[in-house]
Amino acid sequence: MSRPIQALIDLNALKSNLQVVRRHAPGSSVYAIIKANAYGHGMLRAAQALNDADGFALLELDDAVRLREAGFRQRILLLEGFFDPLELPTIAESGLALVIHAIEQVEMLEATWLPVRLDVSVKINTGMNRLGFAPEMVAQVITRLKACPIVGNIMLMTHFATADESAGIARQLAQFDALSKDLNLPVSLANSAAILRFPESHRDWVRPGIMLYGSSPFPGISAEELTLQPAMTLSTEIIGIQHLKAGDEVGYGAAYRADRETRIAVVACGYADGYPRHAPSGTPILVCGKLTKTVGRVSMDMLCADVTTIPEALVGSPVTLWGRGLPADEIAKAAETVSYELFCAVTSRVPMVEES
Ligand SMILES: *Cc1c(COP(=O)(O)O)cnc(C)c1O
């Protein structure tokens, strides 16, 4: 038998979460965000499950071409656009749309000839100060793009920095609306948090990511409350049991010391599988379907769980690291990160298994 860890990808959960997007934003088209290998869920598999989306958005040109070659006819948007004019012929052949966020990209488009026109999304910096044009540059950029013979349809977009936080989106939205109102172009603004919280941001195209994968974008609201279903369940088995006396220690650095007789399960999952090494003792974990906590440091290939109160836990018993029955958001909270990072960090040695 092989090492028991696996990531189970629930295709129906992906489909159901897309329906949640549709319910919240019934008037908008949907770009399903499948960057970073669909947040670690497998790009082609996720795209198949999300085939009802009106478009897909991601970063790498190779992946976008693979998506086209796999037969997807929807719009495909490259979220950082292109990096070198040598990419443009491939982009044109595959019929991909480009985010344009820097004046250098406009200059490269102006200096290139292609037999077709490329659709572009002009990214505007409304306060996140990451990618995008300063508001005062937008009119000039649009004028130049409209005059560019290889540019086709133009859309406007921006990205919110605090759609999931108390600050909300009001300032960025006001900024965006002020500069876009006379341009009369289609608009895409909303990530998952804005889709769920700010209907006024939905506009022509929404851009859900994390909610498709079944996690909550909000610290204080669970995925279940948002009727989202976990798309990834990371599971494994117990491969050893230890009996500790009071005062015995566990793992590297002897970071955990038992204060009483304790039964410890050694679990086949470590940071080389993508489990966060900085998850502290006390991080929730399911053993035989029962909630308990990790103890000691996470090592490369193993971690430990307290199974003192779970006598049925034996070598071979099932363990869930996150997913069904244990939201990834809870592990993320314990490890002071976000579920996005947990999903993306799952490594290639973890076999992915589909379920539909
Ligand atoms: C990643 C990304 C999204 C999706 O964000 P979520 O918080 O996962 O919904 C939307 N828009 C852009 C530009 C992104 O890069």
Side-chain angles (χ1 to χ4, degrees):
M1 216 199 95
S2 53
R3 192 162 173 265
I5 192 166
Q6 65 166 38
L8 183 72
I9 306 299
D10 180 346
L11 303 181
N12 281 325
L14 290 166
K15 290 183 213 283
S16 164
N17 296 335
L18 178 56
Q19 290 311 308
V20 177
V21 174
R22 297 275 189 208
R23 277 205 298 281
H24 281 268
S28 304
S29 298
V30 176
Y31 267 125
I33 307 289
I34 54 168
K35 64 190 178 194
N37 196 28
Y39 292 43
H41 291 65
M43 182 192 69
L44 285 177
R45 160 192 308 122
Q48 256 137 31
L50 299 169
N51 198 17
D52 189 42
D54 308 285
F56 295 106
L58 72 171
L59 276 76
E60 291 88 358
L61 179 55
D62 291 358
D63 282 342
V65 170
R66 272 206 298 145
L67 206 55
R68 267 291 175 259
E69 285 173 352
F72 291 96
R73 298 272 180 83
Q74 291 92 331
R75 292 200 199 185
I76 301 176
L77 176 65
L78 294 172
L79 285 168
E80 293 181 352
F82 66 111
F83 306 89
D84 187 303
L86 291 174
E87 296 170 294
L88 289 170
T90 308
I91 287 166
E93 261 165 49
S94 293
L96 310 175
L98 293 170
V99 167
I100 298 298
H101 60 81
I103 202 68
E104 290 78 3
Q105 292 173 319
V106 177
E107 289 161 2
M108 289 188 272
L109 288 171
E110 288 171 338
T112 303
W113 181 86
L114 291 170
V116 296
R117 287 173 178 264
L118 305 175
D119 291 344
V120 299
S121 261
V122 176
K123 189 163 190 176
I124 304 172
N125 174 18
T126 54
M128 185 144 180
N129 289 312
R130 220 173 43 173
L131 294 183
F133 294 102
E136 60 274 17
M137 285 192 61
V138 173
Q140 181 215 338
V141 167
I142 299 294
T143 304
R144 283 173 67 172
L145 288 171
K146 280 186 171 163
C148 183
I150 67 164
V151 170
N153 299 308
I154 302 176
M155 179 154 86
L156 298 177
M157 65 186 280
T158 197
H159 195 47
F160 297 126
T162 52
D164 55 334
E165 291 176 19
S166 58
I169 62 167
R171 250 189 19 212
Q172 284 190 265
L173 194 61
Q175 167 89 281
F176 182 90
D177 283 341
L179 68 92
S180 64
K181 68 178 190 306
D182 299 327
L183 292 171
N184 233 331
L185 293 168
V187 165
S188 174
L189 307 177
N191 58 2
S192 297
I195 290 166
L196 292 164
R197 192 169 163 215
F198 300 110
E200 68 274 27
S201 72
H202 290 168
R203 311 295 167 95
D204 301 283
W205 286 77
V206 293
R207 304 192 306 269
I210 196 68
M211 68 182 290
L212 294 174
Y213 305 101
S215 277
S216 169
F218 308 113
I221 305 176
S222 71
E224 193 177 1
E225 288 172 271
L226 299 168
T227 70
L228 299 171
Q229 296 177 23
M232 178 195 293
T233 298
L234 184 66
S235 68
T236 186
E237 292 177 3
I238 295 174
I239 57 171
I241 298 280
Q242 296 291 343
H243 299 270
L244 310 186
K245 303 183 295 297
D248 286 351
E249 294 154 341
V250 178
Y252 285 116
Y256 179 82
R257 174 173 297 165
D259 57 8
R260 55 181 162 82
E261 276 193 28
T262 304
R263 216 168 146 258
I264 295 294
V266 182
V267 171
C269 176
Y271 62 78
D273 300 299
Y275 195 91
R277 182 177 175 279
H278 50 279
S281 285
T283 299
I285 185 168
L286 280 187
V287 178
C288 299
K290 292 184 177 159
L291 187 63
T292 182
K293 56 194 176 47
T294 64
V295 293
R297 279 196 200 151
V298 174
S299 49
M300 187 181 286
D301 310 313
M302 283 169 260
L303 56 81
C304 294
D306 185 339
V307 292
T308 309
T309 60
I310 311 176
E312 66 273 35
L314 303 168
V315 168
S317 293
V319 176
T320 299
L321 288 319
W322 62 68
R324 272 184 215 152
L326 181 58
D329 291 324
E330 292 186 19
I331 285 69
K333 187 171 173 218
E336 295 183 352
T337 183
V338 288
S339 62
Y340 301 70
E341 187 182 18
L342 298 184
F343 298 149
C344 292
V346 173
T347 59
S348 59
R349 83 174 189 187
V350 176
M352 287 216 177
V353 179
E354 289 172 21
E355 184 191 69
S356 54

